[in-house]
Amino acid sequence: MKHIINIILTAFCVLLTAQAIAQVEVRVQPQRREFLLGENVSLNVRIDNFTDRAVTFTNIPGRSWLHFTVTRSGEQHPISPKVIPNFPKLTVAAGSSRVVPVNLRPYFTFNRDGVYKVVATVRMPDMQNTFSSNRASFTLAQGGKVRSFTVQSRGNTLNMSVRLMRVDGKDCLFGQVVNADSQSVLGACYMGQFLNFMKPRVVLDSAQNLHVLCQSTPEYFTYSMMDNRGQRRDYKVMKRTGGPVDLVSSGGSIRAIGLRPYVRPTSTSEGVIHTTADRPGSVR
């Protein structure tokens, strides 16, 4: 009798797991369709739990509850991950969904342009059954070179450049750093939407920071700074005050002239500084 009860309980647990799998859906959505080589490849993983109980996803040593398969167009085999991701425990309540933002760049080596496809796979709490998402596409591009500098850093020759790429129908400027010896892309970052009314101002300072000033709309300008690892260190939206607009060196630092930080007046204060993320259609 005890043996029969154990069999029934085991079958019941298997049935519950199968029902949970059948009622969990995974979707992947890249945050943009195009990325510059070296940028963070950011996407959102949405997990819908259509069951009547919470589902908790956890890791075990050497195995993550969430992993990705990435392929490049024209290549037969998936790209081998360079590290195993380790995502924190996630609980999705019954009848609800959770969105997990993910940057693929720490887990895969992206040194070639092309069209890529990514599939996210979640491992169910039993760590045996899995469920995979749609195949989402994104493009890694080289962009067009606007200006470049060659610098020496820690015995390496680096190419620091400003590149132009069209993203979601808008012309945008990006910074990129490439190791000239190995041709590996160290990093890249978004530096501003570009409206071709004024030639971008590009300056390299003595600390090997790349400064970029460009006109982003008829009224607003974007000032940003990138270090020699391809990381953005400063980003401001500015508005014309009158006179010439430019980047100048002053006291060993670089500053924008003819502009002030963008301030939107409020009824309770002089204003609050905002970024382009506050404006519709911005690319970040």
Side-chain angles (χ1 to χ4, degrees), residues 10-161:
T10 301
F12 182 68
C13 290
V14 171
L15 178 62
L16 286 180
T17 300
Q19 289 177 339
I21 293 173
Q23 298 181 61
V24 171
E25 182 177 286
V26 184
R27 297 287 300 175
V28 169
Q29 179 63 55
Q31 292 184 10
R32 299 210 311 261
R33 293 190 296 268
E34 304 93 358
F35 297 92
L36 185 74
L37 272 173
E39 263 197 292
N40 290 340
V41 180
S42 301
L43 51 84
N44 292 324
V45 179
R46 175 177 172 137
I47 303 172
D48 292 290
N49 177 12
F50 298 115
T51 70
D52 58 1
R53 67 187 190 284
V55 177
T56 299
F57 300 96
T58 58
N59 303 317
I60 62 174
R63 301 177 75 181
S64 173
W65 66 266
L66 173 63
H67 69 274
F68 297 90
T69 302
V70 178
T71 55
R72 182 176 179 270
S73 180
E75 296 182 356
Q76 182 178 0
H77 301 291
I79 300 173
S80 297
K82 57 185 180 182
V83 297
I84 298 175
N86 186 26
F87 296 99
K89 180 172 70 173
L90 179 75
T91 297
V92 184
S96 67
S97 63
R98 295 286 300 273
V99 175
V100 181
V102 177
N103 171 23
L104 290 180
R105 190 164 177 263
Y107 311 122
F108 296 90
T109 300
F110 296 118
N111 270 331
R112 291 186 294 169
D113 56 4
V115 178
Y116 291 78
K117 294 186 182 297
V118 56
V119 174
T121 299
V122 297
R123 197 175 301 277
M124 298 302 289
D126 62 5
M127 297 308 291
Q128 297 297 322
N129 295 288
T130 60
F131 193 81
S132 295
S133 73
N134 57 307
R135 296 180 69 202
S137 298
F138 61 90
T139 299
L140 293 180
Q142 292 279 6
K145 185 167 65 176
V146 175
R147 182 81 183 274
S148 66
F149 301 87
T150 300
V151 301
Q152 297 294 322
S153 176
R154 299 177 182 177
N156 296 312
T157 302
L158 306 180
N159 290 328
M160 302 181 63
S161 63

